[in-house]
Amino acid sequence: MVGQVNRRDFNKRVVGAALSGGLLGNTFASGANGSQKPFELNYIVASCMYGTLPLETILQETPKTGARYLEIWAKRHGDQREQIEKLGVEKTKQLFDQYNVKLGSFTCFKYGLFNMQGEMDLVAQLGGDMVICNSGGPKGLKGAELKSAIIAFAAKLKPHVAAAEEKGVIIGLENHGGGLINDPDTQRWLMDALPSKHFGMALAPYHLEQDETQIAKLIADLDERLVHFQAWQHGMGCMKKLPKEQELLQLPGRGDLNFVPVLAALKKINYQGRTEIFMHPVPRGIPILPTAAEVTAEINRSRAYLGKCLKQA
């Protein structure tokens, strides 16, 4: 009908405005002369991949992974958020500047989705632009009851999204197994219920059916509402202790998930957010491998695999 805007077109308008206004603005795909650069992934490192190693050590390693950005995790996954609390804002800024790394985001599971406004303030002070959390919420709902719960969830979240807009940051919602927002349909419904350039999905394929075609379709449907992407597959899971070689199957290039269609979908939507090579160790809070150098090498192993996939995409 005349005057109506479909979801895809609306998303392009609002998130395009966010990019042009400066949020994630340094990830544009255009060259200095206005020409289109080849599509590439914009990497960010999760501090928890290094366990509870010192923030300064992780900042030294970050550029070696091909990333310009660091994401800060709190206990129980890492403790770099707590380290920042001790360092203070100015000392933390100095460390980031010293190693030519930028803060990208905080993952805030520790605080919960509806208790992140203080984290938004700190992220903004440190030059970052995103906070990430999962939805939590009731489990096992279906049909009309599920849709009603999502509408109510969106209404509860609106003031927090308004706060994110005021503070100049984005809320990224991770789809999480067992939470209200987990499968592709619940993600689509929530994006429809809460259209905002300051709110989108932080997509974790680990928590989805391990079907690269379905994951690629979801990426295409989310389009500009995809604000953060974890290059993370299920492998043999991360909930019980496994031999290290089995635990590492969560990483791209180690497990069975074919990332070529996934990267093709990212390329199709010209994804301008950040990509995080990711896994969880068991127990939480330890590095994925014993030393910082080994962690960096493993991230680079996955990055090389994703580079090959991108050439085929």
Side-chain angles (χ1 to χ4, degrees):
M1 293 178 61
V2 176
Q4 287 189 336
V5 180
N6 64 33
R7 175 177 65 193
R8 184 181 178 90
D9 288 341
F10 180 84
N11 289 343
K12 285 183 177 296
R13 292 182 188 182
V14 297
V15 182
L19 290 171
S20 63
L23 285 171
L24 305 181
N26 51 1
T27 65
F28 283 137
S30 295
N33 61 359
S35 62
Q36 193 74 10
K37 290 170 57 180
F39 178 78
E40 58 185 21
L41 297 174
N42 179 37
Y43 285 105
I44 185 169
V45 168
S47 68
C48 62
M49 296 284 277
Y50 294 86
T52 57
L53 289 178
L55 176 60
E56 184 168 9
T57 299
I58 300 170
L59 287 169
Q60 289 175 309
E61 294 296 312
T62 298
K64 301 174 188 177
T65 69
R68 293 180 293 160
Y69 297 91
L70 182 66
E71 179 179 65
I72 296 297
W73 285 66
K75 292 180 177 177
R76 62 186 175 106
H77 299 89
D79 71 347
Q80 290 72 41
R81 172 64 184 86
E82 289 79 9
Q83 291 182 39
I84 288 173
E85 195 72 32
K86 294 178 181 178
L87 287 167
V89 170
E90 291 308 314
K91 178 61 175 175
T92 300
K93 283 182 176 180
Q94 290 170 15
L95 279 177
F96 272 84
D97 289 344
Q98 181 179 345
Y99 296 104
N100 196 28
V101 175
K102 297 179 181 179
L103 174 68
S105 49
F106 277 14
T107 283
C108 304
F109 296 158
K110 177 178 178 177
Y111 304 100
L113 184 60
F114 300 106
N115 296 289
M116 294 199 300
Q117 292 195 31
E119 296 301 284
M120 294 181 197
D121 289 331
L122 182 56
V123 164
Q125 288 179 59
L126 293 172
D129 58 26
M130 192 178 300
V131 291
I132 296 173
C133 196
N134 58 29
S135 64
K139 303 176 182 180
L141 303 181
K142 295 181 180 179
E145 189 178 16
L146 175 58
K147 287 190 175 181
S148 294
I150 289 173
I151 295 299
F153 178 76
K156 184 178 179 181
L157 193 52
K158 279 184 179 178
H160 300 275
V161 175
E165 180 175 2
E166 180 182 345
K167 300 171 190 295
V169 300
I170 294 172
I171 297 173
L173 183 72
E174 182 188 328
N175 58 295
H176 203 281
L180 178 64
I181 308 302
N182 50 49
D183 64 16
D185 282 342
T186 55
Q187 293 179 56
R188 295 182 186 106
W189 294 339
L190 181 61
M191 294 302 103
D192 285 344
L194 192 52
S196 171
K197 64 189 179 184
H198 291 272
F199 177 70
M201 291 306 306
L203 187 64
Y206 174 96
H207 294 293
L208 299 170
E209 291 293 327
Q210 298 297 282
D211 181 331
E212 56 265 22
T213 302
Q214 290 186 22
I215 295 169
K217 184 180 186 304
L218 175 58
I219 288 169
D221 289 345
L222 290 173
D223 204 353
E224 281 88 349
R225 301 302 298 278
L226 176 62
V227 297
H228 181 88
F229 178 71
Q230 283 186 315
W232 180 27
Q233 63 183 305
H234 191 272
M236 295 184 68
C238 64
M239 301 307 293
K240 62 181 181 180
K241 188 64 179 174
L242 297 168
K244 183 57 67 173
E245 286 298 310
Q246 294 179 7
E247 191 175 271
L248 292 172
L249 294 176
Q250 298 170 62
L251 290 166
R254 283 197 176 266
D256 294 334
L257 188 67
N258 178 8
F259 275 79
V260 173
V262 175
L263 296 193
L266 293 175
K267 183 177 180 180
K268 180 179 179 181
I269 67 170
N270 194 26
Y271 172 63
Q272 296 299 297
R274 292 180 288 256
T275 295
E276 185 173 71
I277 292 167
F278 193 79
M279 63 167 285
H280 276 314
V282 179
R284 303 295 188 265
I286 64 171
I288 66 165
L289 288 168
T291 69
E294 288 174 294
V295 174
T296 298
E298 190 62 36
I299 292 173
N300 280 328
R301 184 184 192 277
S302 288
R303 183 164 64 99
Y305 165 76
L306 292 175
K308 291 178 182 177
C309 290
L310 192 54
K311 291 179 179 178
Q312 300 175 51

